[in-house]
Amino acid sequence: MCLTIDWSTRPGAQMGTNMTNILEKPLIRTYQYNAFLESILGIHKDYEEWLSCNYVQIMASKDFNYNTCVIKYLAASIFGCCPLLDSQGDEKKHIMPSLSTYVEYLDGIFRQGYYLYTFVDEYYIPNRVSYQKNHFEHDILLCGREQDNYAYLGYDILGNYTKGTLPAQQLYQAMRIDNPCLLRLSLSNNSYSFNIQKFIFMLKQYVYAEDSTKNLEVYLDMNKYSPIFYDNELNMPLVFGIDVYARLCSLIDFYNETDVPYDWRVLHLLYEHKQSIYQKLEYLMRKGYLERNEALLLQYDAIVAKAKLIENLGLKYQITRAKRVGQEIQKNISEMQKEADILGGVLDLLIQRHGFDKTQQGGSLCAEKW
């Protein structure tokens, strides 16, 4: 049920900077602002350490009228807060005067190992809902050239995160919109090490549903903070960690009482998060932070399977909007809360082995240790 990642054969592990220097199917890919970041970081020599020490905490909006994309990670994104990513805004107006200027710019940055985050009109992008039907702006990540075409990552008509290619003329036409966003991205020269004390703190906040906005420096590189993105994400009523489950049950009630369209990404991220936690448990055991415990992995694998069942029920609910299906979703979500006991046990084992003062609230601890 759980995803196993072969780190020795990930794209770019033994290659220089070229089109293969991208992770096409990262584990974290429900939302594009995380997925684009992970695709770039996936070729970094320290990516396993990064993935294992991030995406622990999740948060949910209390106000469904404001935002039904309920669950999100408290983590870095393509917009900032990642120590392994460098970002520079370019002037779109300088590259769009002609096709030749545009091609010269793209070829130049790709030769230098950059990626490009921008927006396109999906009327011109094949395998999109809006293709040849209506004009709709959406963001993509341009990641290199493949012979006569340019490669990009984004979400197809089925919502799958996948790679596509377009000839220069078609891509140029798709980018001829007023949206000025143009971010040139590259891996930084920084290294990244897994920090067991940091991980214990994040796991504690998840298990005990603590308000992590008081400890943003644990989750985000505040030297690369982007207020345009993160202020919007964090300046709203939120719940964290295990408390997210109750909000999901309330969300189903909200759907039953309104005609708001069901957003499949919510329950997909729940499943994705459980896969991510399983990966972290396996990492802790493989690296010696925890003793190998197959029974524990089997216990958590059952949590992953339950999350997958909930996602599948959600897709059924999307089609039928039947209250009985919604009730089945709620029943299974309530059963997911046994995860707190499993991860609480993991937390105790880690503290016994590595030490940690559970009474500290994180501020002074973070300043001292990371």
Side-chain angles (χ1 to χ4, degrees), residues 339-369:
E339 179 196 31
D341 295 330
I342 299 172
L343 294 183
V346 171
L347 184 61
D348 289 341
L349 289 172
L350 289 172
I351 291 172
Q352 290 171 16
R353 189 161 186 157
H354 303 282
F356 190 76
D357 184 353
K358 291 169 67 175
T359 65
Q360 296 201 54
Q361 295 303 304
S364 60
L365 181 66
C366 295
E368 292 170 6
K369 297 201 173 183

Side-chain angles (χ1 to χ4, degrees), residues 92 131 142 163 167 218 242 315:
K92 186 176 176 181
Y131 180 58
L142 299 176
K163 187 186 78 172
V218 178
I242 293 296
L315 296 176

Side-chain angles (χ1 to χ4, degrees), residues 2 17 39 52 55 62 89 94 108 115 125 128 148 153 168 170 175 185 190 216 244 259 268 301 304 322 324 352 362:
C2 292
T17 301
S39 285
S52 301
Y55 305 104
K62 291 182 179 180
H94 295 327
Y115 308 87
I125 308 295
R128 296 294 191 273
D148 295 330
L153 290 172
Q170 193 169 345
M175 280 186 61
L185 307 160
N190 296 330
L216 292 180
V244 163
D259 59 357
H268 179 71
D301 192 41
V304 179
R324 60 176 180 78
Q352 290 171 16

Side-chain angles (χ1 to χ4, degrees), residues 97-109:
S98 68
L99 177 61
S100 60
T101 303
Y102 175 76
V103 168
E104 182 180 2
Y105 168 80
L106 289 185
D107 288 349
I109 66 168

Side-chain angles (χ1 to χ4, degrees), residues 43-304:
I43 63 162
H44 194 281
K45 63 181 179 62
D46 298 328
Y47 180 60
E48 183 181 15
E49 285 70 30
W50 163 265
L51 182 62
S52 301
C53 204
N54 284 276
Y55 305 104
V56 175
Q57 184 62 297
I58 54 176
M59 55 192 182
S61 171
K62 291 182 179 180
D63 186 355
F64 301 138
N65 290 299
Y66 177 80
N67 186 0
T68 56
C69 294
V70 175
I71 311 182
K72 297 184 179 181
Y73 297 106
L74 180 54
S77 73
I78 200 71
F79 300 114
C81 295
C82 178
L84 297 180
L85 186 74
D86 287 336
S87 174
Q88 180 177 333
D90 283 351
E91 292 284 343
K92 186 176 176 181
K93 62 183 180 181
H94 295 327
I95 74 166
M96 299 303 292
S98 68
L99 177 61
S100 60
T101 303
Y102 175 76
V103 168
E104 182 180 2
Y105 168 80
L106 289 185
D107 288 349
I109 66 168
F110 292 145
R111 278 196 300 270
Q112 296 175 67
Y114 289 103
Y115 308 87
L116 192 69
Y117 172 83
T118 189
F119 282 76
V120 294
D121 183 350
E122 292 197 339
Y123 180 88
Y124 302 102
I125 308 295
N127 201 23
R128 296 294 191 273
V129 174
S130 300
Y131 180 58
Q132 299 292 302
K133 294 178 182 177
N134 59 281
H135 296 281
F136 178 73
E137 290 185 19
H138 206 283
D139 51 349
I140 62 171
L141 182 70
L142 299 176
C143 44
R145 185 164 185 166
E146 292 188 348
Q147 298 178 343
D148 295 330
N149 294 330
Y150 290 101
Y152 62 89
L153 290 172
Y155 296 90
D156 65 18
I157 195 170
L158 298 177
N160 297 313
Y161 183 71
T162 188
K163 187 186 78 172
T165 61
L166 280 177
Q169 175 66 53
Q170 193 169 345
L171 183 59
Y172 175 66
Q173 192 172 22
M175 280 186 61
R176 295 184 68 180
I177 55 178
D178 292 335
N179 192 318
C181 180
L182 198 68
L183 292 179
R184 181 158 39 97
L185 307 160
S186 64
L187 290 174
S188 72
N189 293 322
N190 296 330
S191 59
Y192 190 93
S193 299
F194 181 86
N195 186 317
I196 187 60
Q197 288 297 317
K198 179 177 177 179
F199 181 86
I200 290 172
F201 182 80
M202 291 189 293
L203 187 61
K204 168 182 172 286
Q205 290 215 305
Y206 176 77
V207 170
Y208 292 103
E210 295 176 354
D211 183 354
S212 296
T213 59
K214 300 175 181 178
N215 311 101
L216 292 180
E217 69 277 12
V218 178
Y219 301 90
L220 308 174
D221 183 346
M222 300 305 287
N223 293 319
K224 297 188 176 186
Y225 186 82
S226 172
I228 294 176
F229 178 75
Y230 285 99
D231 284 358
N232 182 61
E233 295 287 295
L234 298 170
N235 292 340
M236 68 174 74
L238 296 165
V239 299
F240 292 87
I242 293 296
D243 280 357
V244 163
Y245 290 121
R247 295 308 299 153
L248 288 180
C249 289
S250 297
L251 178 63
I252 300 301
D253 288 333
F254 177 79
Y255 279 132
N256 285 336
E257 296 163 3
T258 67
D259 59 357
V260 173
Y262 172 84
D263 189 337
W264 64 269
R265 295 175 299 177
V266 174
L267 296 183
H268 179 71
L269 190 140
L270 179 69
Y271 170 54
E272 181 180 273
H273 180 254
K274 304 315 151 195
Q275 288 183 299
S276 175
I277 295 296
Y278 184 93
Q279 176 270 326
K280 291 163 176 48
L281 294 176
E282 197 278 334
Y283 173 89
L284 291 169
M285 294 177 190
R286 181 159 42 84
K287 295 294 184 177
Y289 294 106
L290 279 177
E291 289 186 7
R292 189 76 189 177
N293 188 331
E294 297 297 338
L296 173 60
L297 290 176
L298 284 172
Q299 275 187 302
Y300 202 82
D301 192 41
I303 296 294
V304 179

